[in-house]
Amino acid sequence: MDKYLKTLELDKILEMLAELTSNEETRRMALAIRPDTDLAAVRRECLKTSQAFSLSVQFGTPPFSNFKDICSSAARAKSGAVISLRDLMDIAAMLRQIKSLADWYDHCEGVETELDYLFSRLMPNDWLLEKLERSIISETEISDAASPELAAIRRKINRAGMQLRETLDKMIRNKTTQQYLQESTVTIRDGRFVLPVKSEYRGQVAGLIHDTSATGQTIFIEPMAIVEANNDIRLLEGKEQEEIERIIRELCGNCGEYADILCENYRICTELNLYFAKSNLAAKLNCSLPEITDDGSMHLKKARHPLIDRKKAVPVELSLGEDYQTLIITGPNTGGKTVALKTAGLLSAMTMCGLLIPVADGSRISVFRHILADIGDSQSIEQNLSTFSSHTNKVIEILDTADENSLVLLDELGSGTDPVEGAALAVSIIRRLMSSGAKIMVTTHYQELKVFAIDSEGVENASCEFDIETLRPTYRLIVGSPGISNAFAISESLGMPKDIIEDAKARVSDANIRLEDVIGKLDAARIELERQKEDISRLRAEAAAHEEAVRREKEELERFKADELEKARQRAMTIIEQTKAESNELLDELDRLRKEKDKKDFSENVSGMKSRTKQSFNKMYDTANPVAKQDPNADYKLPRKLRRGDTVYVVDLQRKGIISGDPDGSEFVYVQMGVMKTKMNISRLRLEEPDKVTYSGKPAKPARKMNKVGVKAERRGKMELDIRGCACDDGVYQLDQFIDQAVMSNISTIYIIHGKGTGLLRKAVQQRLKTHPSIKSFRLGVYGEGEDGVTVAELK
């Protein structure tokens, strides 16, 4: 398939992939990738690439360095050979790569991928890495830290050298010796320190001659005073070299012990580098993972050719192998027909190579056994082949190879010869390929192929859209509609004389003209339908947005309603407790009056008490209704006195009600509103006359419902709890509730009536009072309070 893949420019994609690798081995692997025809293998490889992409997005791309192939050097170290410091440094770099990948993977805990089996086989060796880094400085130098013995030898060498230099410096500073020297410097010959002596004074400096200058005027003499010191340094340098060789052998032995693991980890690192290079390519091309099948069908959404700048490329929708087996693409030159052909073939090949492809989510692509393409001009002068002959040879080869698992891509089928014969030949070729079961995409300008697609089952027309107003292609692929070449319009826009254009039009057959007109009308109708479809989609989107806004507003109103009801409930509970407290104060006052009934001013006190009681109860009725007054006409006066059965309008509640009792001459009456009966002040009421005219003189309007809650206060007697006849548990339960109400009402003294009986209930009550946190003290009742049948408790 290599020549077909090259036609589709898969090699350029693999070059892009190779550029994203970090080492030579992975680069070689990238360039050697070929499409796989096994569905399971393709799905597995594409899934690994997709998961590598997800890991890179979530945790960042793992670090990869330009590590070298260490397998051969590690194998030699395993066999006992001594390898170079360069090889040992490469092994250290490989160990650093293994460690960095293992550390990166440790941060990906909780994420399971198909790459886990590779990461789990990485075996970092921190001990060996630290030893190599500590021992080796460069390709030619071992560090002092490699061993204590080496460090000690080098210290001795440095110390001996310093002493020797001091001796030589003294000799150089000596005035007598200075006159014998060519220059006042110390040099080294054959690894030994010497003095540059003038040749005429060679006998004046006692020592060993090591070298002579090129002119013969300078003789390099090692003074006898430093011969022994030089000998000591040479011995130390020999020991240093022996220790360095020992260290290198030891390091080689350590690497040899780890050789097999090093080689395996090297292969793992190259494989991981390839998968993450694929993921980086997917990020660069904005790719995604399509659904992969082997049924020969494809549906590519917003597909782009990966070699075209994505800012300039126009996405296309491509379908094949579902409703039709063959797609015939027509349209003007430079309109994008060949690009659509190459896009389908190249994306299929990329998927089969385990790469993600530049398509939108929801795309589907198939694995083919053969991708066969005849695209472009293959004219060959050397082989004496014309364009038509070259195309024919390729088509013959494709006919011999194609089967039901093949994707066939034919560009300008039948071109290069007589149009009538070429069109007939193209139809016959398509029929033969269809009979073999292949999936076919063909580009053409022939009208006969457009008609063939209309008349034949399993064949569909497609066109590259052309904007007739701007006379420019839009590069959109329209499936289901044949295209027209627009040769006359394009030629005219390029400056072709009009008389030539008109003459050419007159020479076109009537059948062709009618076909072009029909296609033009169909294209215009398609454009109008697409515009209407866009309008419908926009209106649907607006309706959905409006519906969502209404839903959110409804939810907000429901939350507001719930909050307001909760506030009203809490307010009502407070009012109830306040009302209970006030009613109990009234009852206490009545008890006090009862005890003073023998006093002279008793009658006056009773009358005053009745008046205060009435006022207090009226106040409690007002307090029990938390709804704020709303009086749009504060100076309103009832036209007559209210009577039982009158219909009234409650201003603050904005509801109608019926007078349910005879007025008692006071400012309060009972009003029935639905199932609720409450006592109200007449200032809140407006009389509804039979003619249904409101108090303002305007026709009555339906009362607007308001989400407000009215609370009717519960009135109880005194702060006494009668639990006679109750079981102990039930009595204690009622007692707890009673104490809670008393605390909320700020009552200081309560009375629990439990009766005498067997004494069990009294004992249970008093046992509970002992442990209740709100009880200050308690006692049995005295004479007149019920004695042993009553317990009196003081609240804190």
Side-chain angles (χ1 to χ4, degrees):
M1 291 179 61
D2 281 351
K3 61 181 179 182
Y4 298 117
L5 297 177
K6 193 170 182 64
T7 299
L8 296 173
E9 300 178 290
L10 179 64
D11 55 322
K12 295 181 179 180
I13 298 296
L14 298 182
E15 282 287 350
M16 293 174 63
L17 176 62
E19 291 298 321
L20 298 173
T21 60
S22 69
N23 60 90
E24 287 301 320
E25 177 61 21
T26 309
R27 177 181 177 83
R28 184 194 62 76
M29 293 167 61
L31 294 175
I33 292 176
R34 291 295 178 269
D36 197 332
T37 58
D38 181 68
L39 176 63
V42 171
R43 283 177 173 173
R44 185 168 57 251
E45 290 300 301
C46 288
L47 179 60
K48 289 178 184 178
T49 303
S50 177
Q51 291 175 341
F53 179 75
S54 298
L55 288 174
S56 296
V57 170
Q58 190 172 357
F59 303 103
T61 302
F64 286 100
S65 61
N66 186 14
F67 53 88
K68 308 296 182 183
D69 185 353
I70 48 82
C71 292
S72 60
S73 56
R76 284 188 286 115
K78 182 181 179 182
S79 66
V82 176
I83 58 179
S84 67
L85 291 180
R86 177 70 265 172
D87 291 336
L88 291 173
M89 292 177 67
D90 290 341
I91 290 175
M94 188 70 251
L95 289 168
R96 280 193 295 273
Q97 178 66 75
I98 296 169
K99 176 177 172 58
S100 63
L101 286 177
D103 291 343
W104 180 87
Y105 182 64
D106 288 341
H107 291 87
C108 304
E109 292 181 357
V111 181
E112 295 184 2
T113 67
E114 292 292 324
L115 300 175
D116 290 348
Y117 80 98
L118 290 175
F119 281 108
S120 63
R121 288 160 56 194
L122 290 173
M123 296 183 65
N125 191 329
D126 294 340
W127 172 81
L128 181 56
L129 174 60
E130 190 274 333
K131 188 172 183 179
L132 289 171
E133 290 180 333
R134 184 183 70 243
S135 301
I136 303 174
I137 296 177
S138 67
E139 296 182 24
T140 59
E141 187 176 2
I142 293 291
S143 170
D144 293 352
S147 74
E149 181 66 22
L150 180 61
I153 292 172
R154 287 179 172 174
R155 284 195 299 270
K156 291 177 182 179
I157 292 174
N158 291 334
R159 193 160 49 244
M162 290 175 63
Q163 293 174 356
L164 190 147
R165 280 184 174 277
E166 289 176 3
T167 302
L168 290 173
D169 288 342
K170 289 179 182 179
M171 295 178 68
I172 291 172
R173 289 193 298 269
N174 186 283
K175 292 183 178 180
T176 303
T177 307
Q178 281 183 355
Q179 63 182 340
Y180 307 144
L181 300 179
Q182 193 73 269
E183 55 186 21
S184 299
T185 58
V186 177
T187 62
I188 297 177
R189 287 292 184 274
D190 298 329
R192 302 178 74 88
F193 290 93
V194 295
L195 293 176
V197 180
K198 297 177 182 177
S199 59
E200 61 266 27
Y201 295 113
R202 58 185 297 180
Q204 302 298 322
V205 180
L208 303 175
I209 297 175
H210 283 277
D211 198 4
T212 304
S213 67
T215 60
Q217 296 180 359
T218 304
I219 297 174
F220 298 97
I221 298 175
E222 178 183 4
M224 294 303 295
I226 65 169
V227 170
E228 193 61 33
N230 263 328
N231 289 337
D232 292 340
I233 291 176
R234 294 299 294 270
L235 289 173
L236 290 172
E237 288 176 346
K239 292 182 179 180
E240 178 191 23
Q241 188 59 37
E242 290 176 359
E243 180 62 17
I244 289 174
E245 292 174 357
R246 187 197 66 80
I247 291 170
I248 293 176
R249 284 195 301 272
E250 182 180 341
L251 293 175
C252 291
N254 296 145
C255 293
E257 294 172 1
Y258 198 60
D260 293 338
I261 296 175
L262 275 172
C263 292
E264 182 185 4
N265 279 206
Y266 167 75
R267 287 189 288 271
I268 291 172
C269 289
T270 57
E271 194 170 350
L272 286 172
N273 186 208
L274 180 61
Y275 285 121
F276 282 97
K278 289 181 178 180
S279 77
N280 289 338
L281 181 64
K284 182 178 180 180
L285 299 178
N286 194 22
C287 298
S288 63
L289 177 64
E291 179 187 352
I292 304 172
T293 66
D294 61 352
D295 58 1
S297 66
M298 67 169 68
H299 182 70
L300 305 180
K301 299 181 178 180
K302 297 184 178 180
R304 292 178 290 104
H305 194 288
L307 296 178
I308 300 177
D309 186 354
R310 65 180 180 182
K311 295 180 180 178
K312 299 178 180 179
V314 178
V316 297
E317 300 281 333
L318 271 174
S319 295
L320 186 66
E322 295 178 319
D323 299 328
Y324 45 87
Q325 180 183 353
T326 301
L327 186 65
I328 295 179
I329 305 174
T330 53
N333 290 323
T334 71
K337 301 190 300 297
T338 304
V339 171
L341 217 62
K342 284 189 173 182
T343 299
L346 182 55
L347 297 191
S348 297
M350 287 176 63
T351 303
M352 294 164 66
C353 289
L355 299 172
L356 305 187
I357 56 177
V359 294
D361 292 339
S363 297
R364 183 175 66 258
I365 201 163
S366 179
V367 172
F368 295 98
R369 183 182 302 161
H370 304 290
I371 300 179
L372 309 171
D374 177 24
I375 300 174
D377 189 358
S378 302
Q379 185 178 24
S380 174
I381 298 176
E382 294 179 358
Q383 297 180 13
N384 195 25
L385 293 177
S386 66
T387 299
F388 179 75
S389 300
S390 177
H391 281 300
T392 301
N393 286 339
K394 286 188 176 181
V395 170
I396 292 171
E397 184 179 345
I398 289 173
L399 288 170
D400 292 338
T401 308
D403 57 16
E404 67 276 5
N405 293 319
S406 298
L407 173 64
V408 178
L409 308 171
L410 300 173
D411 188 25
E412 301 295 349
L413 180 62
S415 63
T417 186
D418 178 76
V420 176
E421 294 179 355
L425 185 61
V427 171
S428 298
I429 291 171
I430 293 173
R431 288 186 182 276
R432 171 62 65 85
L433 289 171
M434 290 182 67
S435 65
S436 68
K439 307 302 180 293
I440 310 158
M441 291 181 65
V442 178
T443 66
T444 185
H445 287 283
Y446 291 149
Q447 301 283 16
E448 290 82 355
L449 267 67
K450 301 175 188 178
V451 175
F452 169 71
I454 295 172
D455 294 339
S456 302
E457 185 178 355
V459 185
E460 183 62 86
N461 269 308
S463 62
C464 289
E465 190 178 49
F466 185 82
D467 191 338
I468 197 64
E469 295 180 0
T470 62
L471 297 178
R472 292 182 179 274
T474 65
Y475 303 106
R476 289 181 58 209
L477 184 67
I478 310 299
V479 177
S481 172
I484 55 180
S485 299
N486 290 294
F488 295 148
I490 295 174
S491 298
E492 187 174 0
S493 69
L494 294 175
M496 181 70 71
K498 288 187 177 181
D499 57 331
I500 295 178
I501 300 294
E502 295 300 327
D503 183 65
K505 288 181 178 179
R507 295 179 182 278
V508 177
S509 67
D510 293 340
N512 282 342
I513 293 175
R514 286 195 298 272
L515 180 60
E516 293 285 339
D517 289 342
V518 170
I519 293 176
K521 291 178 181 178
L522 287 174
D523 198 49
R526 175 190 58 77
I527 294 173
E528 177 62 23
L529 287 174
E530 286 186 354
R531 187 190 63 76
Q532 294 179 4
K533 183 179 178 181
E534 289 177 358
D535 291 342
I536 293 172
S537 298
R538 177 179 54 79
L539 292 173
R540 283 181 176 174
E542 291 176 358
H546 179 69
E547 182 180 357
E548 178 65 17
V550 170
R551 185 188 63 79
R552 287 197 298 268
E553 183 178 0
K554 180 181 178 182
E555 291 178 353
E556 186 65 26
L557 288 174
E558 291 292 335
R559 285 194 295 270
F560 178 76
K561 176 182 176 182
D563 292 343
E564 291 300 312
L565 287 174
E566 179 62 19
K567 291 178 183 177
R569 187 189 66 79
Q570 294 177 357
R571 176 62 179 159
M573 290 297 296
T574 303
I575 292 172
I576 289 172
E577 297 303 329
Q578 290 176 351
T579 306
K580 286 181 181 179
E582 291 181 7
S583 65
N584 284 326
E585 289 178 3
L586 293 175
L587 293 172
D588 291 341
E589 183 68 16
L590 290 175
D591 285 342
R592 186 179 62 76
L593 288 175
R594 178 175 55 78
K595 295 177 181 178
E596 297 177 355
K597 62 182 179 179
D598 295 332
K599 295 183 179 181
K600 295 180 180 180
D601 57 349
F602 176 71
S603 298
E604 297 177 1
N605 289 339
V606 169
S607 299
M609 187 59 199
K610 286 182 178 179
S611 176
R612 289 196 299 276
T613 300
K614 188 172 183 179
Q615 293 176 0
S616 180
F617 272 105
N618 289 337
K619 181 181 178 181
M620 285 189 288
Y621 276 120
D622 279 342
T623 303
N625 193 335
V627 182
K629 294 184 178 181
Q630 301 177 0
D631 192 353
N633 193 0
D635 57 351
Y636 173 82
K637 292 184 180 179
L638 290 170
R640 58 175 175 80
K641 290 185 177 181
L642 297 175
R643 297 188 293 267
R644 179 194 292 269
D646 281 343
T647 300
V648 292
Y649 180 78
V650 183
V651 177
D652 47 11
L653 295 180
Q654 296 187 0
R655 293 185 60 185
K656 290 184 180 181
I658 298 175
I659 303 299
S660 60
D662 293 327
D664 56 1
S666 65
E667 296 296 317
F668 289 85
V669 294
Y670 284 99
V671 179
Q672 183 81 33
M673 292 181 293
V675 298
M676 184 177 68
K677 180 179 179 182
T678 185
K679 193 173 185 181
M680 297 183 180
N681 194 298
I682 61 174
S683 62
R684 298 166 56 189
L685 308 178
R686 302 291 182 264
L687 180 63
E688 291 285 326
E689 297 296 339
D691 57 359
K692 296 186 180 179
V693 176
T694 64
Y695 62 87
S696 61
K698 298 179 181 180
K701 296 182 179 180
R704 182 167 56 91
K705 294 184 179 180
M706 295 183 65
N707 293 328
K708 296 194 176 182
V709 180
V711 179
K712 182 178 179 181
E714 178 186 356
R715 293 174 293 160
R716 297 195 51 152
K718 10 181 201 183
M719 291 305 290
E720 296 178 351
L721 175 64
D722 190 351
I723 55 174
R724 287 175 292 182
C726 293
C728 293
D729 291 343
D730 187 32
V732 171
Y733 174 75
Q734 294 186 38
L735 173 64
D736 286 339
Q737 289 185 321
F738 180 68
I739 293 174
D740 291 343
Q741 293 176 354
V743 170
M744 293 178 65
S745 302
N746 295 321
I747 303 301
S748 59
T749 305
I750 58 175
Y751 297 85
I752 302 100
I753 304 173
H754 44 66
K756 298 180 180 179
T758 61
L760 293 176
L761 185 56
R762 178 179 70 248
K763 186 180 295 184
V765 168
Q766 293 181 353
Q767 186 66 32
R768 177 60 183 145
L769 293 176
K770 288 179 182 180
T771 60
H772 200 286
S774 299
I775 301 301
K776 180 179 181 182
S777 62
F778 63 89
R779 59 177 175 81
L780 288 173
V782 298
Y783 179 75
E785 290 180 332
E787 301 179 350
D788 293 346
V790 175
T791 296
V792 182
E794 296 290 331
L795 301 181
K796 293 182 180 179

